[in-house]
Amino acid sequence: MIAVITTGPSSAPIDEVRRMTNFATGEIGALLAEALATRGFQPILFRAHGATHTHVPAGAVLHEFTTNQDLAASLQNLAETRAADIRAIFHAAALTDYAVTSVQGPDGSLLDSPKIPGHLPRLHLVLEPSAKILPLLRGWFPQAWIVGWKYELSGSREEAADLARAQLRQSHCDATVLNGAAYGPGFALLEDKQPSCHYPTKRELAQILASRAEAFAKSDK
């Protein structure tokens, strides 16, 4: 049984030395890989270069990525070669929602130097939405139990839960993990037509997710 985990913050290049990125430690990925390995899975850990938590649990296979496109290409290649062996996917990576399409100077002129000068008084970044990976996973891995993540900072807990359930439906996942300031301390695990379950720590969340993945894999044999 193979379980795929994505973790850490992707980045979008501004020029050849600067990048735009999210904040994520990558710790949940390591905890998931550890919990899954103890339950008989072969964890494949796709970890972003920007992750600050760099421990790789025993038994896990590490692949590093930088951009959303890097990760998407690696996952698609895995789907083309080993889709039937993938029993669970945990898409916890904090991917950038936007990509930089151009950089403009103070006068609106296009800057395309490998290293944009550092003395300019102002820059304008033109961004466009990045392609989402989560909605593609069901098509790539039709036999897997798929879990997405939803991180919300503003609004009420109920509003955050509504957004998480909307993501669950739109992305055709089996479950979504909700966290962030809008939810409050800890994590919620949401599944379609089921009440949400609360887990106070990353480790407890990782253990329950590994347990659920194991149950799914065994029931599907």
Side-chain angles (χ1 to χ4, degrees), residues 174-211:
D174 297 290
T176 292
V177 173
L178 170 64
N179 69 312
Y183 177 74
F187 305 83
L189 179 62
L190 299 94
E191 298 176 87
D192 189 36
K193 299 178 181 178
Q194 298 292 329
S196 65
C197 297
H198 174 79
Y199 301 95
T201 68
K202 291 179 182 179
R203 188 171 294 278
E204 288 173 284
L205 175 66
Q207 291 294 334
I208 194 64
L209 289 174
S211 174

Side-chain angles (χ1 to χ4, degrees), residues 28 36 40-41 59 61 72 83 88 96 107 137 157 160 167 185 189 204:
I28 189 63
L36 289 159
F41 283 91
V61 176
T96 55
D107 60 354
L137 295 177
R157 175 176 282 202
Q167 175 181 278
L189 179 62
E204 288 173 284

Side-chain angles (χ1 to χ4, degrees), residues 9-152:
S10 73
S11 62
I14 297 171
D15 58 18
E16 292 186 13
V17 298
R18 302 177 179 93
R19 62 185 181 178
M20 180 175 66
T21 188
N22 288 339
F23 175 79
T25 64
E27 180 183 16
I28 189 63
L31 291 171
L32 275 167
E34 181 180 315
L36 289 159
T38 63
R39 292 180 177 273
F41 283 91
Q42 166 67 75
I44 299 180
L45 183 61
F46 289 92
R47 189 182 69 201
H49 282 288
T52 56
H53 189 91
T54 57
H55 172 64
V56 180
V61 176
L62 176 66
H63 297 278
E64 292 190 300
F65 69 94
T66 302
T67 66
N68 294 17
Q69 293 83 356
D70 294 338
L71 178 59
S74 294
L75 290 173
Q76 188 170 15
N77 180 67
L78 185 64
E80 291 170 354
T81 56
R82 305 198 66 180
D85 300 323
I86 310 300
R87 310 308 300 130
I89 299 176
F90 302 92
H91 187 43
L95 302 185
T96 55
D97 292 315
Y98 296 93
V100 180
T101 58
S102 66
V103 184
Q104 299 173 3
D107 60 354
S109 60
L110 184 66
L111 301 176
D112 57 1
S113 170
K115 183 177 183 295
I116 297 166
H119 64 271
L120 299 174
R122 185 181 299 107
L123 292 176
H124 300 277
L125 301 183
V126 179
L127 310 178
E128 67 177 15
S130 298
K132 301 292 186 183
I133 290 179
L134 185 60
L136 302 174
L137 295 177
R138 178 58 64 199
W140 289 342
F141 304 99
Q143 301 178 54
W145 189 63
I146 300 176
V147 182
W149 256 250
K150 187 67 173 171
Y151 182 72
E152 290 295 327

